[in-house]
């Protein structure tokens, strides 16, 4: 790996952003610069060199010569950053290896790893690139995926204006995910909306075939009372789960939401006017391989705002949230 620095970096854990020169990665770069400035932490702009460039450098090195192959993508990105006049300390890292190995290694110990939803290559119709999907499962710190322009919500006042949206399962969402969402809302000065969705049991009639007209079986009565009780119980569980975090972050305006329905669908719809959507990674397969939960998978593909996928501490999470 080779580095060039625009300024001396601080000793604080950095925000790391992966770039490849595509428009998607430049959107991620812009978002990461804002996050680093808000957090008061340095930014590492990382580019994994192409296979051809890595191979060429290896061949030159085999001849006993130190390869001096410029990373033109990183140079171009450096120009973009410098023209923006940002004050945050920036380090530029040219990496070798595969993207899905090199970026997590560069982000180890970092505050955030930020990527675009897609990079160069692939099909334009894809909503989420394979790299971002893999990083969501393996990043050692919270991963923020910035959606491409066609899917991104246009918020009046910019991305910082939108509230923080948290997908919360009271029994399963790790503390690190909840704390990340509260601190992000605190730093942004926006409300935190915690969404807990639950599926109500179907009415008995929904499980039966339509009765024969000869039987004249009356339709089943609605289960309104049972459904309402399930919602009240979920509200109690959510309030109990959020209570210690609300006490820790008293300045955060908390908007608790409990409603029947599909969690992913509600979060995607809510992301239209949100600035950040926070979900947990979930789960580790019994064979040891990392998996991403169905809700995280869905919102990464369809959300209209940046999505933060936060691992639990046991997964090697980093030290803090986005601003």
């Amino acid at each position: 790996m080779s580095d060039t620095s625009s300024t001396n970096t601080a000793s604080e854990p950095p925000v790391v952003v992966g770039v490849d020169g595509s428009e998607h990665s430049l959107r991620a770069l812009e978002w990461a610069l804002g996050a680093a400035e808000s957090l008061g932490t340095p930014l590492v702009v990382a580019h994994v060199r192409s296979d051809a460039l890595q191979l060429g450098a290896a061949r030159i090195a085999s001849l006993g010569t130190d390869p001096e192959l410029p990373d033109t993508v990183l140079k171009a990105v450096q120009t973009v950053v410098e023209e923006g006049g940002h004050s945050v300390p920036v380090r530029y890292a040219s990496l070798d290896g595969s993207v899905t190995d090199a970026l997590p290694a560069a982000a180890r110990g970092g505050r955030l790893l930020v990527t675009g939803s897609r990079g160069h290559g692939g099909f334009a119709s894809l909503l989420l690139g394979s790299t971002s999907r893999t990083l969501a499962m393996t990043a050692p710190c919270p991963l923020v995926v910035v959606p491409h322009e066609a899917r991104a919500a246009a918020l009046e006042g910019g991305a910082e204006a939108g509230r923080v949206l948290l997908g919360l399962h009271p029994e399963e969402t790790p503390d690190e995910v909840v704390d990340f969402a509260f601190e992000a809302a605190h730093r942004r000065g926006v409300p935190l909306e915690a969404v807990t969705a639950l599926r109500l049991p179907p009415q008995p009639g929904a499980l039966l075939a339509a009765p024969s007209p000869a039987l004249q079986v009356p339709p089943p009565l609605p289960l309104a009372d049972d459904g309402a009780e399930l919602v009240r119980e979920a509200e109690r569980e959510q309030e109990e789960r959020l209570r210690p975090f609300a006490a820790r972050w008293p300045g955060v305006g908390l908007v608790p939401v409990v409603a029947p329905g599909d969690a992913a669908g509600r979060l995607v719809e809510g992301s239209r006017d949100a600035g950040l959507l926070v979900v947990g990674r979930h789960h580790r397969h019994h064979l040891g391989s990392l998996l991403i939960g169905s809700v995280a998978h869905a919102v990464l593909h369809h959300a209209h705002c940046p999505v933060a996928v936060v691992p639990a501490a046991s997964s090697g999470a980093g030290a803090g949230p986005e601003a």
Side-chain angles (χ1 to χ4, degrees):
M1 180 179 82
S2 62
D3 299 332
T4 60
S5 299
S6 62
T7 184
N8 294 328
T9 58
S11 58
E12 300 176 11
V15 172
V16 179
V17 57
V19 298
D20 62 4
S22 68
E23 287 297 322
H24 305 297
S25 74
L26 292 180
R27 285 178 61 85
L29 172 64
E30 180 181 0
W31 192 94
L33 278 164
E37 288 182 334
S38 179
L39 289 166
T41 192
L43 177 70
V44 175
V45 181
H47 172 242
V48 180
R49 299 193 298 176
S50 67
D51 291 343
L53 194 58
Q54 293 184 45
L55 180 59
R59 287 177 174 174
I60 294 174
S62 69
L63 299 175
T65 305
D66 185 21
E68 292 291 340
L69 300 178
D71 189 331
T72 55
V73 170
L74 208 55
K75 287 292 185 183
V77 170
Q78 183 173 356
T79 300
V80 171
V81 173
E82 292 174 349
E83 289 178 350
H86 297 278
S87 60
V88 61
V90 181
R91 180 164 62 89
Y92 298 88
S94 184
L95 310 177
D96 288 341
S98 69
V99 175
T100 52
D101 288 335
L103 285 183
R108 191 165 292 117
R111 296 288 293 266
L112 291 172
L113 174 58
V114 183
T115 70
S117 57
R118 293 202 309 266
H120 280 308
F123 296 96
S125 61
L126 291 178
L127 297 174
L128 186 71
S130 59
T131 296
S132 297
R133 187 165 54 246
T134 300
L135 291 174
M137 296 185 286
T138 61
C141 63
L143 172 76
V144 176
V145 177
V146 179
H148 56 82
E149 186 174 7
R151 184 155 52 97
L155 294 176
E156 185 177 350
E160 294 296 320
R163 72 197 187 290
V164 173
L165 194 59
L166 168 65
L168 177 70
H169 189 298
E171 296 179 352
E172 295 185 6
T173 303
D175 287 352
E176 293 81 8
V177 180
V178 184
D179 202 50
F180 182 100
F182 268 89
E183 187 170 353
H186 169 74
R187 288 187 177 275
R188 286 169 167 257
V190 297
L192 170 63
E193 181 176 330
V195 177
T196 298
L198 68 158
R199 291 187 179 276
L200 298 180
Q203 297 182 1
L207 304 178
L208 301 175
S212 168
L215 296 177
Q216 295 297 308
V217 178
L221 296 176
L223 300 180
D225 292 341
D226 292 344
E229 179 56 35
L230 288 173
V231 171
R232 286 192 293 269
E233 178 61 26
E235 290 173 341
R236 288 190 291 268
E237 292 177 354
Q238 188 199 62
E239 191 279 331
E240 182 178 348
R241 183 73 175 85
L242 293 174
R243 190 185 306 144
F245 298 94
R248 190 180 310 161
W249 302 99
V252 173
L254 179 61
V255 181
V257 175
V258 175
D262 173 66
R266 287 189 172 275
L267 291 172
V268 168
E269 184 60 29
S271 72
R272 292 182 181 277
D273 57 358
L276 182 69
L277 169 55
V278 180
V279 293
R281 175 182 288 168
H282 302 320
H283 296 286
R284 183 175 289 276
H285 192 269
H286 68 280
L287 296 179
S289 60
L290 288 171
L291 297 177
I292 187 169
S294 58
V295 172
H297 185 272
V299 298
L300 280 170
H301 278 78
H302 301 291
H304 302 276
C305 69
V307 176
V309 181
V310 182
S314 59
S315 300
E322 172 277 337

